[in-house]
Amino acid sequence: MKFLLLSLIPAAAAIFISFYFLTILWASAAALLILSVLGLFFAYIKLSASGRKAKTAINAEVSESELESILNNFGDALIIYDDSFKVLFFNNAGEKLFMINEGEIVDITIGPEAVNDSRLRLIAQIVFPTLAPVMIPRSQAGTWPQIVDLSFSEPQLELRVSTSQLSQIPGKPARFLKVIQNRTHEVALLKTKSDFVSVASHQLKTPLTYIDWGLEALNGDETLSDSNKEIVSGTLKASKLLSEIVESLLDIARIEEGRFGYKFEEADISDFLGKILEQTMPEATRAGVRIYFEKPAVQLPKVFIDPQRLSLAISNLLDNGIRYNVKNGDVIVRASQAEGKPFIEVSVKDTGIGISPEEIEKLFVKFFRAANAIKSQTGGTGLGLYITKNIIEAHGGKIRAESELNRGTTFYFTLPTDQSLVPQREVPVEA
């Protein structure tokens, strides 16, 4: 047991770091326990270089009972098992979550058939996540820790499971650690928030449409005085901005719930970009900004896209390039084959106000607007780039930005040319 607990410390520390940085809400008690385990971890690393002396030092400083107490009192359920799926350790939180005593599960081998045993069903679905009713991967395949979200209806549970392979002990079977966080309450709160935003936005949409119609009619009334026309024109712009905010909130609610509704089809990216730029040209002309499309010299492979959703994402990038540009500025769009990878890379470069290095990391955060952007354009929601990021990732791509203050910004995003790299189904997004 002592060697098992010692081998657990490095992997547990790595899991706790990855796991809690992916979690929205932190518990202060759990944070203290993490710090305790990390302290033991670094002590172990430092002392292990001295071989037998290190082992003696650890024996003197940290007893087996102290290590076991830390793990037993950790707020999340912990399960350790070997490569034959024999359970070696089961903590107090696990007993509460799975409603089974440690003595009933330790030294038991859990196989897929255990899903037929009502006492062991939930544990079997944790050990073999593909047996769970709903499984959403949250980490890349082949990397440690493996993180998945599991949903159950009977009983109603939302669990995040993080799996890591422990340090190998010579002559002993491989061991694995699962950290199970009960996120049921947290997910329920997020759903309540999302439902509220969705319902409120829907309720606002209809009256706003009527307001827009009325204001547009008034705006075209030639009998209005110049001062009244100015008031109507300003009110119409404000109403349209509010309509955009409502529509963006509805889009975000659908995206975060995993029901944005993607319909993928094969497309020529050069033709697709050309059509969007053609539609954007009048807006750019009114703003005094030039738009260029540097078409690739060679025929690019086809990509798999949802034309409507991707058009929204690219339009957001072009809109930013126009809105935060300078008079007689440029927006340049390029597309090329990513070197040695099955992806097309598209770039949208502007000669605008740029973004400071301190703020660029927040660029795709919901509701974020850079300080200079707020000064340049008071109107804006801070939602467009958040929506764009999620649309690109739902296509199997990635998006990033490079910027220089007062010199301009370039957005780069990728789209896969291999259909197998496009996500097979839409999944809820962590808010």
Side-chain angles (χ1 to χ4, degrees), residues 193-210:
K193 179 210 73 173
S194 180
D195 289 345
F196 171 78
V197 170
S198 183
V199 170
S201 299
H202 273 294
Q203 293 297 319
L204 286 169
K205 193 171 182 179
T206 301
L208 277 172
T209 301
Y210 281 106

Side-chain angles (χ1 to χ4, degrees), residues 177-373:
L177 166 69
K178 284 188 181 287
V179 180
I180 305 102
Q181 183 194 20
N182 188 348
R183 302 175 66 241
T184 307
H185 180 63
E186 177 187 329
V187 171
L189 288 176
L190 290 173
K191 188 175 187 310
T192 300
K193 179 210 73 173
S194 180
D195 289 345
F196 171 78
V197 170
S198 183
V199 170
S201 299
H202 273 294
Q203 293 297 319
L204 286 169
K205 193 171 182 179
T206 301
L208 277 172
T209 301
Y210 281 106
I211 291 170
D212 282 350
W213 287 346
L215 289 170
E216 284 172 358
L218 283 172
N219 200 41
D221 188 348
E222 297 297 331
T223 64
L224 288 178
S225 64
D226 290 342
S227 60
N228 284 338
K229 279 186 178 180
E230 187 176 345
I231 292 171
V232 171
S233 176
T235 307
L236 180 59
K237 287 179 181 178
S239 178
K240 287 189 177 297
L241 175 60
L242 185 56
S243 296
E244 289 176 14
I245 293 172
V246 168
E247 194 60 46
S248 294
L249 289 171
L250 282 170
D251 285 343
I252 287 172
R254 296 185 192 110
I255 287 170
E256 292 181 346
E257 290 173 10
R259 55 180 187 86
F260 202 37
Y262 291 92
K263 297 178 181 178
F264 292 98
E265 59 184 59
E266 192 177 59
D268 183 302
I269 191 63
S270 294
D271 292 343
F272 182 73
L273 290 171
K275 291 175 183 176
I276 296 176
L277 290 173
E278 187 178 337
Q279 295 167 4
T280 310
M281 198 67 72
E283 179 190 351
T285 302
R286 285 193 296 271
V289 173
R290 297 179 293 268
I291 291 187
Y292 301 97
F293 179 31
E294 295 186 358
K295 291 187 176 181
V298 297
Q299 180 71 34
L300 295 176
K302 295 290 197 331
V303 291
F304 297 89
I305 64 171
D306 179 320
Q308 182 181 356
R309 302 309 187 197
L310 188 61
S311 177
L312 173 61
I314 295 172
S315 294
N316 283 339
L317 296 178
L318 293 172
D319 182 60
N320 277 1
I322 295 168
R323 182 179 297 183
Y324 301 111
N325 217 315
V326 295
K327 195 71 174 177
N328 298 318
D330 297 328
V331 174
I332 303 169
V333 179
R334 299 184 178 93
S336 61
Q337 172 76 55
E339 189 174 349
K341 297 178 181 178
F343 289 91
I344 298 296
E345 183 175 78
V346 178
S347 65
V348 179
K349 180 180 180 179
D350 66 57
T351 55
I353 61 175
I355 306 153
S356 69
E358 297 78 22
E359 293 186 304
I360 198 164
E361 295 300 322
K362 305 173 187 175
L363 203 52
F364 299 103
V365 175
K366 189 163 47 178
F367 298 113
F368 174 76
R369 296 189 71 211
N372 61 339

Side-chain angles (χ1 to χ4, degrees), residues 1-6 8-9 33 37 40 58-74 89 91-92 102:
M1 185 65 179
K2 181 67 166 287
F3 288 111
L4 173 61
L5 290 171
L6 289 178
L8 169 65
I9 296 173
L33 285 170
V37 175
L40 293 171
I58 291 177
N59 285 340
E61 292 188 16
V62 183
S63 69
E64 179 179 333
S65 62
E66 287 174 324
L67 287 173
E68 191 165 1
S69 176
I70 289 172
L71 299 174
N72 263 324
N73 287 290
F74 191 70
F89 179 81
N91 74 342
N92 295 339
E102 177 191 16

Side-chain angles (χ1 to χ4, degrees), residues 408-428:
T409 302
T410 305
F411 289 93
Y412 301 88
F413 67 87
T414 56
L415 296 169
T417 56
D418 182 347
Q419 192 171 8
S420 67
L421 298 176
V422 179
Q424 297 300 303
R425 62 188 181 90
E426 199 174 353
V427 299

